[in-house]
Amino acid sequence: MAAEASENLMPIVSKLFCSSSLTAFVVRRRPHAINGGGLVVTDCSLQKVAFRVDGCGVLGAKGELVVRDGDGSSVLYINKKQGIIEAMSSCSKWNGHVMEVDGVKEKIFRLIDSKPFFARCNATKIYIEPKRINNKEYCFEVIGSFPQRNCIITAPKGIIVAQVGLKEMNGSKDLYSVVVHPGFDQAFVIGVIAILDYLNGESTAC
């Protein structure tokens, strides 16, 4: 049974962040006045920190994000592609990296989001590096409205990876839930959430 469970895991950042069971998190936005903004991700009891996200207010550079684990170690580096060509493009493009042992950053995914004034403004797609999944391009998609805290991240064939929703009995968009389905990489999901937060001018942006 253990071998079968391992085969069903889909690590993107690391298999350490994959669980064989449904996992629910609570995401809290840090105010810009406190540590420069960002996100804190805890378990449902709000007692154990699973991830932290440092935004540009902390890092001091626009278009850069860092996802850290509960111990504060950096697990995912995210940056927005810059330059004149990107500024004129109809899409915002982001890259996610992990740090290799030799200190080299290896790109593991790219997120492409259509800018609001273009027709496909709701299209947000995330492509995994082909060599990560059987040498084939693998595409996730964000469906729904992140600003309203009502969206899902899907894998090919409509498989649900994660769901974002308002936390029950709260109603504030500063505190919301993220449920990650079995087998999928939780650090990767939080990385996508961090980019969505930035794209919508929320806590990770500055």
Side-chain angles (χ1 to χ4, degrees), residues 114-130:
S114 296
K115 294 179 181 177
F117 44 84
F118 287 89
R120 296 185 300 114
C121 60
N122 292 323
T124 302
K125 297 182 182 295
I126 309 104
Y127 297 91
I128 304 305
E129 285 297 289

Side-chain angles (χ1 to χ4, degrees), residues 27-30 34-41 49-59 64-69 75-76 78 176 187 189-195 197-198 203-205:
V27 180
R28 175 171 54 84
R29 296 173 55 193
R30 291 201 307 255
I34 301 176
N35 298 325
L39 305 172
V40 178
V41 183
V49 174
F51 299 98
R52 297 180 187 273
V53 178
D54 290 340
C56 68
V58 178
L59 304 176
E64 292 188 9
L65 306 167
V66 174
V67 177
R68 305 182 187 278
D69 63 16
V75 297
L76 181 60
I78 302 169
Y176 55 95
V189 169
I190 298 304
V192 172
I193 297 298
I195 299 174
D197 180 279
Y198 193 107
S203 187
T204 58

Side-chain angles (χ1 to χ4, degrees), residues 30-173:
R30 291 201 307 255
H32 282 101
I34 301 176
N35 298 325
L39 305 172
V40 178
V41 183
T42 65
D43 61 9
C44 288
S45 68
L46 303 178
Q47 295 181 350
K48 183 178 179 180
V49 174
F51 299 98
R52 297 180 187 273
V53 178
D54 290 340
C56 68
V58 178
L59 304 176
K62 290 188 176 182
E64 292 188 9
L65 306 167
V66 174
V67 177
R68 305 182 187 278
D69 63 16
D71 296 324
S73 299
S74 302
V75 297
L76 181 60
Y77 298 81
I78 302 169
N79 69 289
K80 180 182 179 182
K81 293 191 70 174
Q82 308 286 359
I84 296 176
I85 294 178
E86 299 303 326
M88 297 176 63
S89 171
S90 63
C91 299
S92 296
K93 299 177 182 179
W94 296 73
N95 292 322
H97 308 261
V98 291
M99 185 71 78
E100 296 299 310
V101 177
D102 56 6
V104 176
K105 291 180 182 178
E106 179 186 4
K107 186 169 75 173
I108 57 172
F109 72 82
R110 50 193 166 91
L111 181 147
I112 300 176
D113 180 77
S114 296
K115 294 179 181 177
F117 44 84
F118 287 89
R120 296 185 300 114
C121 60
N122 292 323
T124 302
K125 297 182 182 295
I126 309 104
Y127 297 91
I128 304 305
E129 285 297 289
K131 61 183 177 181
R132 286 275 167 169
I133 304 178
N134 300 323
N135 295 317
K136 295 181 179 179
E137 191 166 60
Y138 196 94
C139 179
F140 294 86
E141 188 169 0
V142 179
I143 299 173
S145 172
F146 176 77
Q148 296 300 317
R149 306 296 187 254
N150 182 23
C151 66
I152 59 175
I153 301 171
T154 64
K157 299 182 180 180
I159 297 172
I160 296 178
V161 175
Q163 297 164 285
V164 177
L166 288 174
K167 185 168 173 55
E168 292 182 8
M169 306 301 292
N170 176 57
S172 171
K173 295 176 184 176

